């Protein structure tokens, strides 16, 4: 892009950043120092507002950039990400939304501590939630780097690296200034912008092909380099047994992982009642479902309009397919229309990333301050810090989490963002979901079972990722020059999710302490009726 066109896109970036900073500063003046305000926004949001915020929290760079890019590169197999991300919300709606709102205060550990011994489960759940949050943040950093590198006229590591650093710094500022109130309103604004931008692009793609979806798909197949195989299963996940197992593993992680994501669980604390939490999920499903249907059109549209080779040339992982599509639909490189549309889409994508990283950073800082530091501080005999002290620790934790995410984001710049989010979902499904379901529905579940369930899912998931082709032994790995892969699958969910459930069961049946029947009965009444809920 020319200097003037880059200036326009950067100006739109700057406008959104300033708006977000203004929201954060405004929110920071509201009831400063209250943990309920910082973690849950005072529980004052309506179901509609929270539904938009959930959609804003969930529709990340993986959704807007990564999935469309995978569809543009792999056709039908890339579309499976859209299906998995959407179906996952049925688990959230029917199994956990209302129960988590009634049982918890701010974090996953609050739900577990309602019926189990507090210190062990808070430490285990806190570390697990922090791990998932960092992995999720890395994906957003990679998406931001790819986007701004394209805007600046190339895909150099320097441009992407500086972008990762800037996004990390901004997310720390948003969280420390405004907490959940600011994060929620940023997510609402972002959700409106994202849905509007996606609708415009979808309409333009359909207009380009005169509303003929068959012509769109046929052209996409012809320009993909794979012919009709582009529209059939198996291009990415069907050529051998290992790839088929990888697909099953990915689907299991996507469908089960959403219910274990810390930043999604935290959103149920921002509404006043369990009924409001359920209605929030219904609103979010409507928004998220519509969005994922449109990403399918955008992915095939990018393949049809640009060609898969052009998408791959810009970003081997496909992360820049949508911005390039917008540039072409607006009139092409150098045209005013193309520049404006590209700038708007790039700004919306950047807004998407900033909003999501703010939500995930807030969830991770809550895990550190509310679960880990408070619990370990009591164990070492330190006095409780009080609400203001805990909020101060949470703000410091946001800075620490941002630093870690920046470092990992610099390492993972060449990986697809949807794929990276799939890894975060696998860890969440392996470590967080089993212990959550056991705690809510199994009366015999014990504290040992909870700790074993978290560690039995978390540690194998991380180990299998390290030993997989994602890290070494392949040209696209984090360390392509090394080869210490022992696990053939790219996603560990097929192995680590069952291990999480198995470890929870084994820890419970071998536990020397009996289950707390009275504690379970009290937690069950609370989860179903809301009696005693915060």
């Amino acid at each position: 892009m020319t200097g003037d066109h880059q200036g326009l896109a950067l100006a739109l970036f700057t406008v959104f950043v300033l708006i977000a900073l203004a929201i954060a500063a405004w929110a920071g003046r509201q009831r400063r120092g209250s943990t309920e305000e910082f973690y849950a926004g005072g529980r004052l949001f309506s179901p509609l507002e929270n539904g938009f915020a959930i959609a804003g929290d969930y529709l990340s760079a993986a959704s807007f950039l990564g999935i469309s890019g995978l569809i543009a590169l792999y056709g039908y197999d890339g579309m499976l990400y859209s299906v998995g991300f959407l179906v996952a919300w049925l688990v959230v709606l029917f199994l956990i939304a209302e129960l988590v709102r009634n049982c918890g205060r701010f974090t996953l550990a609050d739900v577990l501590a309602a019926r189990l011994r507090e210190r062990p489960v808070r430490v285990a759940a806190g570390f697990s939630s922090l791990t998932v949050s960092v992995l999720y943040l890395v994906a957003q950093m990679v998406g931001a780097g790819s986007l701004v590198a394209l805007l600046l006229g190339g895909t150099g590591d320097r441009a992407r690296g500086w972008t990762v650093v800037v996004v990390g710094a901004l997310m720390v500022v948003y969280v420390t200034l405004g907490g959940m109130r600011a994060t929620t309103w940023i997510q609402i604004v972002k959700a409106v912008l994202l849905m509007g931008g996606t609708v415009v692009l979808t309409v333009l793609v359909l207009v380009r092909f005169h509303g003929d979806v068959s012509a769109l798909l046929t052209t996409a197949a012809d320009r993909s380099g794979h012919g009709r195989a582009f529209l059939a299963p198996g291009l990415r996940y069907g050529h051998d047994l290992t790839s088929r197992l990888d697909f099953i593993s990915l689907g299991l992680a996507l469908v089960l992982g959403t219910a274990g994501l810390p930043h999604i669980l935290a959103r149920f604390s921002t509404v006043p009642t369990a009924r409001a939490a359920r209605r929030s999920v219904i609103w979010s499903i409507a928004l998220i479902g519509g969005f994922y249907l449109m990403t399918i059109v955008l992915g095939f549209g990018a393949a049809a309009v640009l060609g898969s080779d052009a998408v791959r040339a810009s970003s081997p992982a496909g992360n820049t397919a949508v911005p390039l599509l917008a540039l072409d639909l607006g009139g092409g490189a150098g045209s005013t229309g193309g520049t404006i549309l590209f700038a708007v889409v790039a700004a919306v994508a950047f807004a998407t990333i900033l909003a999501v990283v703010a939500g995930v950073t807030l969830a991770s800082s809550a895990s550190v301050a509310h679960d880990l530091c408070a619990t370990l501080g009591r164990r070492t005999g330190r006095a409780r810090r009080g609400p203001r002290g805990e909020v101060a620790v949470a703000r410091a934790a946001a800075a620490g989490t941002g630093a870690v995410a920046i470092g990992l984001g610099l390492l993972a710049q060449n990986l697809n963002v949807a794929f990276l989010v799939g890894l975060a979902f696998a860890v969440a499904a392996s470590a967080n979901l089993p212990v959550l379901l056991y705690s809510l529905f199994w009366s015999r579940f014990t504290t040992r079972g909870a700790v074993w369930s978290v560690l039995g899912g978390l540690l194998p998931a991380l180990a299998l990722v390290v030993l997989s082709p994602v890290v070494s032994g392949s040209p696209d790995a984090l360390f392509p020059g090394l080869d210490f892969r022992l696990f053939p699958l790219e996603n560990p969910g097929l192995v680590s999710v069952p291990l999480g459930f198995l470890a929870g069961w084994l820890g419970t049946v071998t536990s020397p302490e009996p289950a707390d029947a009275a504690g379970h009965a009290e937690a069950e009444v609370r989860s179903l009726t809301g009696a005693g809920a915060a």
Side-chain angles (χ1 to χ4, degrees):
M1 298 183 69
T2 65
D4 291 341
H5 297 165
Q6 290 174 358
L8 175 58
L10 288 172
L12 289 174
F13 279 178
T14 304
V15 168
F16 179 81
V17 169
L18 293 177
I19 291 173
L21 285 172
I23 292 173
W26 164 77
R29 299 169 59 186
Q30 311 296 315
R31 298 173 61 186
R32 189 185 301 269
S34 165
T35 53
E36 185 175 277
E37 174 66 28
F38 187 80
Y39 294 137
R43 308 187 197 278
L44 300 175
F45 293 99
S46 69
L48 177 60
E49 292 169 342
N50 199 45
F52 268 87
I54 290 173
D57 223 350
Y58 191 70
L59 298 177
S60 64
S63 302
F64 192 52
L65 301 177
I67 291 178
S68 298
L70 285 174
I71 294 173
L73 296 180
Y74 301 106
Y76 182 95
D77 281 12
M79 188 176 67
L80 296 173
Y81 275 86
S82 294
V83 176
F85 281 138
L86 178 58
V87 171
W89 280 97
L90 298 179
V91 178
V92 177
L93 176 63
F94 292 115
L95 287 182
I96 69 166
E98 294 185 59
L99 304 184
V100 167
R101 171 60 189 85
N102 284 336
C103 277
R105 290 188 66 212
F106 310 123
T107 65
L108 167 66
D110 288 332
V111 180
L112 307 182
R115 57 167 293 199
L116 304 171
R117 283 193 289 117
E118 185 172 9
R119 185 179 63 81
V121 298
R122 281 197 182 278
V123 172
F127 276 117
S128 174
S129 297
L130 184 60
T131 302
V132 173
S133 297
V134 170
L135 287 173
Y136 208 91
L137 283 173
V138 170
Q140 312 312 313
M141 301 293 193
V142 171
S146 298
L147 184 67
V148 176
L150 177 65
L151 174 66
L152 296 177
T155 57
D157 290 341
R158 177 175 295 182
R160 287 186 288 179
W162 277 110
T163 302
V164 167
V165 174
V166 170
V167 170
L170 285 172
M171 76 181 183
V172 172
V173 171
Y174 292 153
V175 171
T176 55
L177 278 180
M180 180 59 83
R181 186 184 294 268
T183 299
T184 299
W185 282 111
I186 291 170
Q187 287 160 349
I188 291 172
V189 171
K190 166 256 178 145
V192 173
L193 292 175
L194 181 62
M195 294 299 294
T198 307
V199 168
V200 170
L201 286 180
T202 301
V203 170
L204 290 176
V205 169
L206 294 176
V207 167
R208 173 72 66 91
F209 291 91
H210 308 289
D212 189 342
V213 176
S214 177
L216 167 63
L217 296 177
T218 300
T219 306
D222 292 340
R223 301 201 63 189
S224 69
H226 299 286
R228 301 299 296 179
F230 190 71
L231 305 179
L235 189 59
R236 178 178 172 87
Y237 293 110
H239 54 275
D240 56 24
L241 178 60
T242 299
S243 63
R244 292 188 180 96
L245 291 176
D246 221 343
F247 165 68
I248 296 173
S249 187
L250 171 66
L252 188 66
L254 295 183
V255 171
L256 299 181
T258 298
L261 293 176
H263 63 293
I264 297 299
L265 295 175
R267 291 244 53 96
F268 302 135
S269 302
T270 63
V271 290
T273 65
R275 182 171 181 267
R278 185 179 183 85
R279 291 175 60 196
S280 297
V281 175
I282 294 173
W283 275 109
S284 66
I285 288 176
L287 294 168
I288 293 167
F291 175 83
Y292 281 131
L293 288 175
M294 291 186 287
T295 61
I296 296 173
V297 176
L298 297 184
F300 284 112
V305 173
L306 304 171
S308 297
D309 289 341
V311 172
R312 189 176 286 106
S314 173
S315 170
N319 293 330
T320 57
V322 171
L324 289 174
L325 175 64
L327 186 63
D328 191 284
L329 292 174
S335 67
T336 301
T339 299
I340 293 175
L341 191 57
F342 175 89
V344 169
V345 168
V348 168
F350 198 66
T352 295
I353 293 166
L354 290 178
V356 172
V357 296
V360 179
T361 304
L362 180 60
S364 63
S365 66
S367 296
V368 172
H370 185 65
D371 297 328
L372 296 177
C373 289
T375 301
L376 296 176
R378 286 196 297 271
R379 186 183 183 187
T380 57
R382 296 178 182 176
R384 291 185 64 89
R385 297 175 181 270
R388 289 183 178 274
E390 185 174 319
V391 170
V393 172
R395 287 175 171 147
T401 303
V404 173
I406 287 171
L408 294 177
L410 293 174
L411 285 175
Q413 293 182 56
N414 293 322
L415 296 180
N416 182 275
V417 288
F419 172 74
L420 286 170
V421 167
L423 295 182
F425 273 62
V427 177
S430 305
N432 291 350
L433 182 64
V435 70
L436 180 59
L437 294 182
Y438 276 145
S439 179
L440 291 173
F441 298 108
W442 190 16
S443 61
R444 293 179 54 200
F445 196 47
T446 63
T447 299
R448 173 187 281 188
V451 174
W452 283 26
S453 181
V454 172
L455 298 181
L458 176 64
L459 298 180
L462 294 178
L464 293 176
V465 169
V466 170
L467 299 175
S468 74
V470 176
V471 176
S472 71
S474 69
D476 298 327
L478 291 180
F479 304 105
L482 302 176
D483 188 357
F484 47 85
R485 57 176 175 173
L486 298 175
F487 183 64
L489 306 183
E490 294 183 344
N491 192 290
L494 186 62
V495 175
S496 57
V497 172
L499 284 178
F501 281 101
L502 177 61
W505 172 82
L506 186 61
T508 296
V509 298
T510 61
S511 178
E513 60 178 337
D516 184 358
H520 170 71
E522 181 180 349
E524 185 176 35
V525 171
R526 178 175 167 180
S527 66
L528 294 176
T529 66

